[in-house]
Amino acid sequence: MSSVKKFCICAICAALCCVLPPVFHAMALGAAFSPLHFPVLLCGLVCGWPYGILCGLVGPLLSSLISGMPGASQLIYMVPELCAYGLFSGLLLKFIHTGRLTADLYLALVPTLLLGRIVGGIIRAIFYLSSAQSYSLAIWASAYIIGTIPAIILQLVALPVLVTVLMKASLIPPRYPAPAAAEA
């Protein structure tokens, strides 16, 4: 895929970072469904880690400027977390090759979802240490794991399906091109 096409997809994903939060928050589902994560993960999976990082940086900043979500104090730990999602989703998918698209996507997504949450938790812990507020493993688990179970399920169900559909529709190149038909 050309860098121009990757950049265009990255821009669409960054735009989704501006559109999805107000929709989910209007239904009081923002915290549970983590609407910024989805487009950043998609960008990393489809375009690769450099574009995933770019989307993880630009998406929340644009969203904050346009809609006020996330708030400035949340950007401090959300931007590194989202950049981690973009980095790890693209990087892991680049190196994982099982011969099966679905397996590759899950083997990239599952560790990415954990690693991004760890990065977000570490940044948040540093932020809380500097402000003398308490932060613990229980608070991290509650905020990043238990509180986002609906988001994790949605991401694990919808992202592999979406990437597969995009490939079947020839909107992005296939990961494993079909073997050429045997010549007669």
Side-chain angles (χ1 to χ4, degrees), residues 15-95:
L16 284 173
C17 287
C18 298
V19 173
L20 293 178
V23 171
F24 278 87
H25 285 283
M27 298 182 290
L29 299 172
F33 282 97
S34 307
L36 288 172
H37 297 188
F38 196 89
V40 173
L41 288 163
L42 179 63
C43 185
L45 292 171
V46 170
C47 300
W49 66 269
Y51 295 92
I53 292 172
L54 180 62
C55 186
L57 176 65
V58 172
L61 293 174
L62 280 177
S63 180
S64 183
L65 287 172
I66 292 170
S67 69
M69 293 181 276
S73 63
Q74 294 172 308
L75 283 173
I76 294 167
Y77 52 86
M78 286 188 76
V79 168
E81 176 187 359
L82 291 165
C83 286
Y85 287 134
L87 168 68
F88 293 123
S89 63
L91 198 59
L92 289 172
L93 193 61
K94 178 180 179 177
F95 291 108

Side-chain angles (χ1 to χ4, degrees), residues 129-144:
L129 285 173
S130 67
S131 67
Q133 294 180 356
S134 65
Y135 192 72
S136 67
L137 188 58
I139 293 171
W140 172 81
S142 175
Y144 282 93

Side-chain angles (χ1 to χ4, degrees), residues 113-147:
L113 295 178
L114 180 60
L115 290 167
R117 283 166 169 76
I118 290 170
V119 168
I122 290 170
I123 299 299
R124 191 178 275 200
I126 292 168
F127 176 72
Y128 279 113
L129 285 173
S130 67
S131 67
Q133 294 180 356
S134 65
Y135 192 72
S136 67
L137 188 58
I139 293 171
W140 172 81
S142 175
Y144 282 93
I145 306 295
I146 296 165

